[in-house]
Amino acid sequence: MEAGSLPLELWRMILAYLPLPDLGRCSLVCRAWYELILSLDRTRWRQLYLGYTECRHPNWPNQPDVEPESWREAFKQHYLASKMWTKNAAILETSVCFSLFRRRRTRRTLSVGPGHEFHSLGSALAMSSLFDRILLFPGLHEEQGEIILKVPVEIVGHGKLGEVALLASIDQQCSTTRLCNLVFMPAWFSPFMFKTTSGHVQFDNCNFENGHIQVHGPGTCQVKFCTFKNTHVFLHNVPLCVLENCEFVGSENNSVTVEGHPSSENNWAYTHLLGLIRSSPSVLPTEDSDSLMSLDLESRDQAWSPRTCGIVIEGSQSPTSPATGSPKAGSQEAEVGSDGERVARTPDSSDGGLSPSGEDEDEDQLTYRLSYQVQGPRPVLGGSFLGPPLPGASIQLPSCLVLNSLHQELQKDREAMALASSVQGCLIRKCLFRDGKGGVFVCSYGRAKMEGNIFRNLTYAVRCIHNSKVRCIHNNKIIMLRNHIHHCRASGIFLRLEGGGLIAGNNIYDNAEAGVDIRKKSNPLILCNQIHHGLRSGIVVLGNGKGIIRNNQIFSNKEAGIYILYHGNPVVSRNHIFKGSAAGIAVNENGRGLITENVIRENQWGGVDIRRGGVPILRSNLICFGYSDGVVVGDEGKGLLEGNTIYANKGCGVWMMSSSLPHITSNHVSYNGVYGVAVFSQKDGSGESPGGHVAQENFGEDGDATLWETELEKDDDLLRRPIATALVESNTVNHNGASGLYVQSSELLHVITNVIHANGDRGITVAQSSQLTRVANNSISCNHQSGVKVEAQCKVEFRGNGIYDNRGHGIITKGDSTVIENDIIGNRGSGLQLLPTSDTKNNLAQDPVCSMCLMERSLASGPWHPLFPVYPE
């Protein structure tokens, strides 16, 4: 456009009067004119689109108030789609058969209605030629017999949608046809309004009421801007079908049924329809399109270093080490606890532990230094340390626990990306399913892909059964991307009988049953979904169900975020499971599963609850800020807990029953409100969970849960090595509110190579142990009371432990104890205190104990022995 021409605003006003063909011609003048035509997007292009009677708002029915990014592009896409049915016109018109009969090649418009050329649709079809247009004028058009389409035609209603109603049963036997702007109702003699077995049919801007539509492969169909009221769409062996921007309302059964493997025989429309799908905007995620709720955890690293402690010998002094001795009066307070337990309080102590040497020393004392290291907490979460939880404070998650976006996950998982990008079978996109029984039912090796749909107020949204698979296995798949599924009266997504699925980026909430229900060997990939505010569990896996559950947010559900039972065996990794009204993950009734690298926080019950034969593997999870215990291993629960961080829960870090034979290893258990690890043997109530909540299962449509037992596989998981004794080994247990380890059990228990540090009460309390509790090679240091206390009639063996710097005695025992080869050094009370009823065996030569320290700190308690004071009754 040359300089000095009219202002752009005037050009836009002038061009706003041009019809569509003239706009196209103007855009070909030059680059400036092309950009000028594009600038009319919100004015002339919008006006043209909304004035087109054959389509509705481009974001109907889900977001009719949201304007598209470009009205021109939306108009272009709809225009191209509306012409798709004529792509084989050249082939038909040049065929030998049609040339012999010399039918007319020019398209005619045949009018049907009172006062027009034809009085019925059947009479107009009898006179129609290839690709003629049959125009039905307003009124009710009822056909008394079945209409058979033998030549390609276009049937269009004249006027606004709803003014033309067609009561007919149409059987398409031609290669292609298009129906637009009509209200379909079934004829009196058949519930089928339309059916085809080999051709291609296109529906635009139609309403279907109280009937059925049936498409058999190799037939194809394209449906856009249509409303289905109590109408069932049945797709059998369809190679490709597109349902886009449609509304399904009030279905008494399934709205859409996809059955059978897609036909290997394709009609002419398959290639054109596939190209149209790939050229249209996709709902596949981009790097900037994902918005996941983030867990705001701020870093709070705290450095821990080895410490050395001096041994004080009266009358000697070392010129090479700092002087140490007994503190002056007033520098510490000594408190005597129950059973004569002596607890020292030092104002300037740090880290929950005390040094046995004071700031002020007597000059006539000589200090010898014994080189030993108090083992503090090991680093966790990728090498960082967790400090004390503060109100409003947060911790920084390591990269292995941060949620990825769906785009990032698909970039990492090429198989999932290929699956998400594939199209075969039925594509359902941007549709609304509401106020009915079922949404989409996929069975018998059917294939379906659902993108950007809304399912609400249904009995269920999607059912996938009988070898209908979402994943790309044996050519059976269903794909669900970025759908909203809510307020279903049963489960949102239901998979059974080897059903599967790629279920990614969906928002699943407020459903009466589980958000996702996986049963009977189903094996989906559940990726980057938000599953929340369900009236039951977020995800249920049972009856040999499997699946990969990764990178999801599962929160605010009334029952467990993930519930695994009846030999369910999923892989649960990198999820954030939080703010549930029950447990974060519950594993019951012989459930299994590999549960790794999840963040499980702020749940009302245990972060993980394992009971009644559950045998999961918990590895490298962060279980924190719970309102009850971190991990509960209840009656008959088993499993392996390895490398988890169990932090700042209001109850115990780990609450377990020794009879369940759990294996607790290499975990970091810190800053929990009660015990770090609590071991019991008594049942905690029949069928009850911590806090008195009764665990009740109801599995909906498949009846009593006990019926699953007849279908369970009995194969053993090689990852789980059998153990005959409950085992607590190589854990770091520190800064918990009560004892680091509390034992009240009548079963065998091994406590080996743990670091038990700076807990609010004793390091280890053995309140009941009728069978042997073996405590070996542990570091027990800096606890606020004694290092270890053993009650009467308890059988405990202490071997090879380091018991350092505790505020009370090193070991207090009333029971049957064996103390061999331990280092008991630097404690504020006695090294070993034997209370009445104690039966303790000890090797004096193998247990170095500071006699001076014991002497100075035992006077207030009565008669004493320089090494092992025994107090009378």
Side-chain angles (χ1 to χ4, degrees):
M1 192 176 301
E2 298 179 359
S5 60
L6 291 176
L8 292 178
E9 290 76 9
L10 291 179
W11 277 114
R12 292 191 180 102
M13 291 179 63
I14 295 171
L15 295 175
Y17 291 94
L18 295 182
L20 180 61
D22 291 340
L23 284 176
R25 296 186 184 97
C26 290
S27 65
L28 299 176
V29 173
C30 63
R31 181 70 180 180
W33 278 78
Y34 175 75
E35 293 177 354
L36 179 61
I37 298 301
L38 291 183
S39 69
L40 303 176
D41 188 80
R42 302 294 177 184
T43 55
R44 183 55 178 161
W45 287 111
R46 182 179 186 275
Q47 184 182 14
L48 286 172
Y49 186 99
L50 296 178
Y52 197 49
T53 59
E54 296 184 1
C55 63
R56 306 186 193 187
H57 191 284
N59 289 324
W60 182 89
N62 294 337
Q63 296 177 306
D65 299 328
V66 178
E67 291 199 355
E69 295 183 2
S70 170
W71 286 97
R72 176 184 173 276
E73 184 64 26
F75 188 85
K76 172 186 172 183
Q77 292 295 333
H78 180 74
Y79 181 82
L80 294 175
S82 67
K83 302 301 180 184
M84 216 286 297
W85 74 285
T86 63
K87 293 292 184 180
N88 69 333
I91 299 175
L92 289 177
E93 291 178 353
T94 57
S95 65
V96 176
C97 178
F98 282 108
S99 296
L100 290 175
F101 287 98
R102 303 259 177 208
R103 285 183 177 252
R104 294 175 58 90
R105 296 186 180 181
T106 57
R107 293 189 62 187
R108 296 184 302 162
T109 299
L110 309 180
S111 300
V112 178
H116 292 275
E117 183 179 0
F118 298 95
H119 293 283
S120 68
L121 176 61
S123 60
L125 289 171
M127 299 300 296
S128 63
S129 299
L130 287 176
F131 300 101
D132 280 349
R133 181 184 180 94
I134 298 177
L135 193 62
L136 301 182
F137 279 82
L140 179 63
H141 300 264
E142 183 176 4
E143 299 295 329
Q144 298 300 319
E146 186 177 49
I147 299 295
I148 298 177
L149 300 181
K150 296 184 177 180
V151 295
V153 293
E154 181 182 30
I155 304 174
V156 181
H158 184 272
K160 296 181 179 180
L161 178 63
E163 294 180 352
V164 180
L166 177 61
L167 279 70
S169 177
I170 301 176
D171 184 0
Q172 178 188 349
Q173 298 179 4
C174 58
S175 60
T176 182
T177 191
R178 178 174 184 255
L179 301 103
C180 178
N181 208 41
L182 298 168
V183 176
F184 283 88
M185 290 180 281
W188 62 270
F189 55 86
S190 174
F192 287 95
M193 296 179 286
F194 191 95
K195 58 184 177 181
T196 183
T197 56
S198 60
H200 172 74
V201 60
Q202 180 172 333
F203 295 103
D204 289 322
N205 198 36
C206 293
N207 287 352
F208 299 87
E209 298 179 4
N210 303 313
H212 303 290
I213 296 173
Q214 181 174 283
V215 180
H216 280 257
T220 57
C221 68
Q222 180 184 0
V223 185
K224 194 167 185 177
F225 297 117
C226 292
T227 298
F228 298 84
K229 296 180 180 178
N230 191 26
T231 298
H232 180 209
V233 179
F234 182 82
L235 307 173
H236 182 77
N237 295 114
V238 175
L240 192 58
C241 170
V242 180
L243 304 176
E244 190 170 11
N245 293 96
C246 294
E247 182 179 27
F248 296 83
V249 185
S251 63
E252 295 179 355
N253 205 323
N254 313 304
S255 295
V256 179
T257 296
V258 183
E259 182 181 63
H261 191 278
S263 172
S264 58
E265 179 185 357
N266 300 327
N267 63 13
W268 69 270
Y270 178 84
T271 303
H272 297 285
L273 195 56
L274 189 61
L276 182 67
I277 293 170
R278 291 175 175 172
S279 65
S280 61
S282 174
V283 299
L284 279 179
T286 60
E287 189 171 0
D288 298 329
S289 64
D290 290 298
S291 59
L292 291 174
M293 293 175 60
S294 61
L295 176 61
D296 180 21
L297 297 174
E298 183 181 1
S299 67
R300 185 171 297 278
D301 296 344
Q302 182 173 349
W304 301 85
S305 60
R307 298 173 53 188
T308 59
C309 182
I311 302 299
V312 179
I313 306 296
E314 186 176 3
S316 62
Q317 185 172 355
S318 169
T320 61
S321 61
T324 60
S326 64
K328 294 184 178 181
S331 63
Q332 72 174 22
E333 298 177 5
E335 298 180 5
V336 179
S338 60
D339 300 319
E341 181 174 356
R342 187 180 180 89
V343 181
R345 308 291 184 189
T346 302
D348 59 351
S349 64
S350 62
D351 214 19
L354 295 177
S355 169
S357 55
E359 295 287 342
D360 301 324
E361 316 296 340
D362 294 335
E363 294 182 358
D364 58 346
Q365 290 183 338
L366 176 65
T367 301
Y368 289 94
R369 296 186 67 82
L370 174 65
S371 294
Y372 74 92
Q373 293 183 343
V374 176
Q375 297 187 41
R378 303 181 181 103
V380 294
L381 297 178
S384 63
F385 292 86
L386 292 176
L390 300 175
S394 56
I395 57 175
Q396 181 66 41
L397 286 179
S399 58
C400 65
L401 296 181
V402 174
L403 288 178
N404 292 327
S405 66
L406 179 55
H407 174 79
Q408 291 170 329
E409 285 293 317
L410 293 179
Q411 290 294 324
K412 289 165 49 179
D413 190 339
R414 295 299 179 182
E415 180 184 354
M417 173 61 87
L419 184 58
S421 303
S422 64
V423 178
Q424 191 175 11
C426 179
L427 171 62
I428 303 173
R429 182 161 59 183
K430 300 178 183 177
C431 293
L432 172 62
F433 296 80
R434 63 178 178 90
D435 303 323
K437 180 178 180 181
V440 179
F441 178 55
V442 185
C443 59
S444 301
Y445 300 97
R447 285 182 155 199
K449 182 175 183 179
M450 287 155 272
E451 297 182 346
N453 304 288
I454 294 178
F455 299 84
R456 72 169 188 244
N457 298 322
L458 304 167
T459 300
Y460 64 86
V462 178
R463 285 174 65 94
C464 175
I465 69 170
H466 197 204
N467 300 315
S468 304
K469 304 216 173 185
V470 180
R471 300 197 65 197
C472 190
I473 300 174
H474 305 303
N475 296 318
N476 307 299
K477 62 183 181 182
I478 293 179
I479 304 158
M480 297 191 66
L481 297 173
R482 297 186 174 278
N483 303 280
H484 288 255
I485 302 171
H486 60 96
H487 292 95
C488 293
R489 294 181 290 276
S491 298
I493 302 173
F494 190 85
L495 302 103
R496 59 180 296 197
L497 294 174
E498 300 187 22
L502 170 61
I503 303 171
N506 302 283
N507 190 10
I508 304 171
Y509 60 98
D510 282 321
N511 297 291
E513 297 289 337
V516 182
D517 191 314
I518 305 168
R519 310 187 185 200
K520 293 187 177 180
K521 301 183 182 180
S522 296
N523 189 22
L525 170 60
I526 301 175
L527 186 66
C528 297
N529 302 280
Q530 291 189 357
I531 305 173
H532 57 100
H533 291 93
L535 300 183
R536 300 295 298 274
S537 298
I539 298 176
V540 170
V541 186
L542 69 157
N544 289 311
K546 298 179 181 178
I548 299 174
I549 303 170
R550 187 171 77 231
N551 213 80
N552 302 280
Q553 290 187 92
I554 304 171
F555 60 96
S556 300
N557 296 287
K558 289 292 182 66
E559 295 186 3
I562 299 177
Y563 199 178
I564 306 170
L565 64 166
Y566 297 116
H567 286 255
N569 191 19
V571 177
V572 182
S573 63
R574 299 176 65 96
N575 302 281
H576 285 197
I577 305 170
F578 56 99
K579 294 185 178 179
S581 298
I585 298 177
V587 188
N588 290 343
E589 307 294 351
N590 300 309
R592 296 180 289 175
L594 174 60
I595 302 169
T596 178
E597 295 185 351
N598 301 281
V599 176
I600 305 171
R601 63 181 176 93
E602 299 177 80
N603 296 287
Q604 293 291 333
W605 295 7
V608 179
D609 192 296
I610 306 167
R611 296 170 187 268
R612 296 193 291 273
V615 195
I617 295 175
L618 271 69
R619 183 174 290 139
S620 303
N621 301 282
L622 172 59
I623 304 170
C624 59
F625 303 116
Y627 295 100
S628 184
D629 305 317
V631 178
V632 175
V633 185
D635 186 22
E636 299 181 10
K638 295 180 175 63
L640 170 66
L641 276 67
E642 180 180 12
N644 303 284
T645 297
I646 304 171
Y647 172 76
N649 298 283
K650 289 189 176 181
C652 302
V654 179
W655 187 101
M656 67 180 193
M657 295 184 65
S658 56
S659 59
S660 299
L661 305 181
H663 186 177
I664 316 296
T665 180
S666 304
N667 301 283
H668 189 104
V669 185
S670 61
Y671 293 102
N672 297 286
V674 193
Y675 306 115
V677 179
V679 184
F680 296 88
S681 62
Q682 292 87 356
K683 298 182 184 297
D684 61 326
S686 177
E688 293 189 2
S689 299
H693 301 283
V694 178
Q696 298 178 349
E697 292 83 12
N698 176 13
F699 301 106
E701 302 176 10
D702 288 278
D704 192 347
T706 59
L707 298 179
W708 290 96
E709 293 293 347
T710 60
E711 304 177 7
L712 303 179
E713 294 178 350
K714 301 302 181 182
D715 54 306
D716 292 327
D717 194 333
L718 297 178
L719 292 175
R720 297 165 175 80
R721 59 186 178 98
I723 57 175
T725 305
L727 181 61
V728 180
E729 66 170 345
S730 302
N731 302 283
T732 297
V733 184
N734 66 283
H735 294 93
N736 297 286
S739 297
L741 173 63
Y742 182 87
V743 180
Q744 185 176 326
S745 170
S746 58
E747 314 291 338
L748 291 172
L749 174 67
H750 289 178
V751 181
I752 302 172
T753 63
N754 300 282
V755 174
I756 303 175
H757 175 82
N759 294 285
D761 196 18
R762 306 173 187 92
I764 298 177
T765 299
V766 183
Q768 176 185 333
S769 179
S770 57
Q771 296 196 43
L772 182 64
T773 296
R774 182 168 177 258
V775 181
N777 301 321
N778 301 280
S779 173
I780 306 169
S781 62
C782 302
N783 296 286
H784 283 218
Q785 294 192 27
S786 58
V788 180
K789 183 174 182 180
V790 180
E791 295 291 351
Q793 300 180 351
C794 294
K795 296 180 181 180
V796 185
E797 176 186 303
F798 296 98
R799 184 186 296 269
N801 301 285
I803 304 174
Y804 313 127
D805 285 0
N806 297 286
R807 290 189 179 182
H809 307 294
I811 298 177
I812 304 174
T813 178
K814 294 182 181 180
D816 182 1
S817 303
T818 301
V819 184
I820 302 174
E821 297 181 349
N822 301 280
D823 292 340
I824 309 175
I825 301 173
N827 302 286
R828 288 299 182 184
S830 305
L832 177 60
Q833 186 181 52
L834 307 181
L835 296 176
T837 72
S838 170
D839 182 10
T840 301
K841 305 173 184 63
N842 179 67
N843 188 328
L844 296 180
Q846 294 176 333
D847 284 79
V849 183
C850 176
S851 60
M852 177 62 67
C853 183
L854 295 179
M855 183 189 304
E856 292 175 348
R857 292 170 174 77
S858 302
L859 295 176
S861 301
W864 52 271
H865 186 279
L867 288 181
F868 304 102
V870 179
Y871 297 94
E873 297 184 5

